[in-house]
Amino acid sequence: MIQIYPLGDSALTISFADVIDETINQQVLVLFHSLIQEKIIGATDIIPAYSSLTVIYDLIEIKKHHHNAFDFIHQQIKNVLENQQHQIQNNHRLVKIPVCYNETFALDIIELAEQKNIAVNDFIRLHAQKKY
């Protein structure tokens, strides 16, 4: 269940869940792109996280349209959520980031492997096999 709550006096957070889940992350990204396309009035920044999204807004700009900034932004987001297609768009961009697991650069690799009680090579294999 999606929850929308204030974050101070000039932001709000849209929380999809308190778990790490790829499906939820895809929902966050779809909403992120929808909010960018809709050009939410008063929004100055939209920040996606893994299972939530934060919208920063300009109080002065919003006061031109509504006396309650949170309600105004909340309603715009609610409208986008109601009209949004529930499909994950396949216009993703694949970015390859080189990773070096040499101890000279991966200063904590041995410690992390020990914490997980696995060999360093297994740690590297597990990290490298996943697309992030």
Side-chain angles (χ1 to χ4, degrees), residues 4-128:
I4 301 175
Y5 55 87
L7 184 65
D9 63 351
S10 60
L12 62 75
T13 295
I14 307 153
S15 177
F16 287 76
D18 283 336
V19 295
I20 301 298
D21 180 278
E22 287 185 39
T23 303
I24 290 171
N25 183 248
Q26 290 298 322
Q27 292 171 354
V28 169
L29 294 175
V30 168
L31 179 59
F32 170 72
H33 293 292
S34 295
L35 292 176
I36 298 267
Q37 279 185 322
E38 288 296 320
K39 296 184 174 43
I40 301 299
I41 297 169
T44 59
D45 203 0
I46 302 170
I47 306 162
Y50 204 87
S51 61
S52 66
L53 195 68
T54 296
V55 178
I56 312 293
Y57 48 84
D58 181 344
L59 290 171
I60 295 170
E61 176 66 25
I62 292 174
K63 292 290 183 183
K64 296 176 186 176
H65 304 277
H66 199 277
H67 69 280
N68 185 309
F70 174 80
D71 289 345
F72 183 73
I73 294 289
H74 183 274
Q75 187 58 51
Q76 289 184 82
I77 291 169
K78 198 171 160 187
N79 291 343
V80 170
L81 283 167
E82 288 172 1
N83 295 324
Q84 176 183 8
Q85 294 178 10
H86 295 288
Q87 295 178 323
I88 297 170
Q89 300 171 2
N90 285 329
N91 59 355
H92 296 15
R93 175 173 71 119
L94 180 62
V95 178
K96 293 187 178 191
I97 301 172
V99 177
C100 180
Y101 297 103
N102 184 292
E103 292 172 32
T104 305
F105 300 104
L107 302 176
D108 58 353
I109 194 164
I110 293 172
E111 181 182 343
L112 288 170
E114 286 174 355
Q115 284 177 4
K116 300 301 177 188
N117 200 27
I118 59 175
V120 171
N121 286 340
D122 291 335
F123 184 88
I124 293 168
R125 183 183 48 76
L126 289 168
H127 183 260

